[in-house]
Amino acid sequence: SKVESNDTAKPEDNVNKTEDDDKEDRAAQSLLNKLIRSNLVNTTNQVEVLQRDPNSPLYSVKSFEELRLKKQLLDGVYAMGFNRPSKIQENALPMMLAVPPQNLIAQSQSGTGKTAAFVLAMLSHVEPVNKWPQCLCVSPTYELALQTGKVIEQMGKFYPEVKLAYAVRGNKLERGMKIQEQIVIGTPGTVLDWCAKLKFIEPKKIRVFVLDEADVMIATQGHQDQSIRIQRMLPKDCQMLLFSATFEDSVWSFAQRIVPDPNIIKLKREEETLDTIKQYYVLCNSKEEKFQALCNIYGAITIAQAMIFCHTRKTAGWLAGELSREGHQVALLSGEMMVEQRAAVIQRFREGKEKVLVTTNVCARGIDVEQVSVVINFDLPVDKDGTLTMRHTFTGLGAQDALGKRGLAINMVDSKFSMNILNRIEEHFSKFLSFVLCLTAFFGG
Ligand code: ADP
């Protein structure tokens, strides 16, 4: 749902956003999720499977043993602490490991086991005696490629004959040499150079091609073209696998260009529900009044852990500063911080070292911190085109429901524009916010 922004409340951070900024945001968020995630996200949704050949039986596995993996790999999987396949792995792994190999397009949110799945598929398909690249994986950024590389190294711990090379900027090789590592992971530009111009890789010998984070990838036009050029150099019977956290139309059309005759697996995001989350809103006239209202309820919200969302970095920085000056210990998560710094802030918050985390909607996109039971929308959550971004604010709370706890969301409304958004939120959830707190009535203004 869209909110008409015929108003002045334009997020100042986003005014001059370019395609590259957007891509950087997405890549940074994706990296952040990888850095802070230590286990699978909980999903209760069913996996949707669309088979290329609808007549062939649909296999799914409930255990890693059923996959008949090489011993070295099964040991690697267990050493990583995996007991059983995740929801998407149940369906994706049998398809990826089938003989003959099948192509796959898979979409599910971050943290559902996609990386582990394709890493296992690559490792399974390698012939270690052959000293040339057989699996090729492209990632949108250097940092993301390194993260995936780490998973390959971890999972292949007991399979040392399989070697890994990084096709990333700065990794300069001698002209005329041929790569002997069986798995190559890299960014599209360097991978393309290594295949086409420098010929370090013989693309015709590639058996498995993985394109990871397609949604981040397509945010850069150049990456799309490079990926397609790489794909065209591969043999027709090379297995093509594409993964994405989201599935807009643009991702879908790109996916179909990369992956011919695909099987398709989709796992819907957890539906957000407001049923067990108490909604409040506070009417204020200005930023300062909102701050005052926040101070008034501060004691109540810090009984548990709270996240406070602001629309811009500037407001988030200001608010964190003001709260600190009042003597409150708060953490600030902001877009200008390095990804590693951000991961450290989230980690501290997770460990309960701070009870309140102030952040921007954009920066906290897709981050779930399970123990958060209070969400304060200091500014109501809309993104740069006025689309509601409620989901990001509520997934953390959603997780509480499973534990039978109740969440609390406080929306701070300071203009007609935000009232309008609030109405949209109500519409979105087809439910009226259950409580109305007027600042003047309850907090004495
Ligand atoms: P995605 O690529 O979808 O973001 P990952 O493959 O990175 O998801 O998995 C998310 C987290 O869950 C990682 O910490 C990973 O080690 C862990 N994980 C993946 N598969 C399993 C599994 N079958 N059992 C337990 N943990 C898993």
Side-chain angles (χ1 to χ4, degrees), residues 35 37 46-47 63 127 132 135 239 246 272 296 316 341 372 379 383 403 430:
L35 293 177
R37 183 159 302 289
Q46 282 307 306
V47 175
S63 72
E127 284 295 344
W132 61 75
C135 302
Q239 182 176 38
T246 61
E272 59 268 45
N296 292 341
Q341 273 179 305
V372 171
D379 300 305
D383 71 12
L403 304 171
S430 348

Side-chain angles (χ1 to χ4, degrees), residues 169-405:
R169 69 178 137 79
N171 198 358
K172 299 253 182 297
L173 305 180
E174 248 173 72
R175 269 196 183 270
M177 76 161 283
K178 293 271 179 245
I179 288 175
Q180 304 207 335
E181 287 85 351
Q182 296 91 344
I183 301 179
V184 178
I185 172 154
T187 46
T190 310
V191 168
L192 181 62
D193 279 353
W194 284 22
C195 288
K197 206 162 73 197
L198 301 164
K199 303 202 171 10
F200 295 150
I201 300 172
E202 275 183 76
K204 282 283 174 268
K205 289 186 170 172
I206 298 294
R207 310 301 309 147
V208 183
F209 176 61
V210 177
L211 192 139
D212 192 20
E213 314 238 14
D215 49 352
V216 182
M217 198 76 95
I218 63 157
T220 307
Q221 184 60 40
H223 277 171
Q224 262 191 70
D225 300 343
Q226 286 158 346
S227 304
I228 288 165
R229 285 176 60 198
I230 296 165
Q231 193 266 6
R232 286 204 190 122
M233 300 175 80
L234 305 173
K236 285 283 151 297
D237 62 348
C238 171
Q239 182 176 38
M240 314 273 179
L241 308 169
L242 179 140
F243 299 85
S244 185
T246 61
F247 231 9
E248 304 96 82
D249 290 347
S250 53
V251 180
W252 176 234
S253 48
F254 173 65
Q256 285 180 308
R257 292 181 70 187
I258 293 283
V259 185
D261 305 322
N263 292 291
I264 299 163
I265 296 182
K266 287 192 202 181
L267 179 60
K268 276 219 211 79
R269 263 196 91 100
E270 232 31 35
E271 283 298 317
E272 59 268 45
T273 149
L274 291 192
D275 287 344
T276 48
I277 300 163
K278 278 201 176 162
Q279 290 284 325
Y280 296 87
Y281 74 87
V282 181
L283 294 172
C284 311
N285 289 313
S286 64
K287 192 167 76 172
E288 286 70 26
E289 258 187 44
K290 290 200 284 188
F291 174 67
Q292 199 45 55
L294 186 59
C295 289
N296 292 341
I297 54 174
Y298 199 85
I301 64 169
T302 47
I303 290 169
Q305 276 192 295
M307 278 173 96
I308 305 179
F309 290 88
C310 301
H311 204 147
T312 65
R313 291 176 187 180
K314 208 171 134 191
T315 310
W318 171 83
L319 183 60
E322 291 294 302
L323 286 168
S324 308
R325 280 208 285 160
E326 292 283 309
H328 302 306
Q329 206 186 338
V330 299
L332 174 65
L333 183 71
S334 176
E336 63 254 354
M337 297 161 79
M338 304 274 291
V339 171
E340 290 74 16
Q341 273 179 305
R342 289 192 235 172
V345 169
I346 294 169
Q347 209 55 56
R348 284 179 57 84
F349 183 63
R350 278 227 165 114
E351 288 161 10
K353 296 208 169 96
E354 277 96 16
K355 290 209 146 184
V356 172
L357 179 72
V358 179
T359 183
T360 56
N361 296 323
V362 172
C363 196
R365 186 152 69 184
I367 295 168
D368 303 337
V369 181
E370 279 86 5
Q371 66 270 34
V372 171
S373 53
V374 180
V375 160
I376 296 185
N377 291 311
F378 194 79
D379 300 305
L380 291 186
V382 282
D383 71 12
K384 61 180 169 208
D385 18 84
T387 310
L388 279 177
T389 54
M390 291 303 283
R391 161 184 300 152
H392 314 303
T393 356
F394 288 107
T395 41
L397 289 175
Q400 291 278 315
D401 301 344
L403 304 171
K405 289 192 209 151

Side-chain angles (χ1 to χ4, degrees), residues 34 37-40 64 80-86 89 108-117:
K34 285 186 200 283
R37 183 159 302 289
S38 51
N39 49 19
L40 289 165
F64 286 109
M80 289 178 83
F82 301 179
N83 297 321
R84 41 161 297 160
S86 72
Q89 289 166 0
S108 62
Q109 76 191 74
S110 152
T112 46
K114 298 186 293 299
T115 307

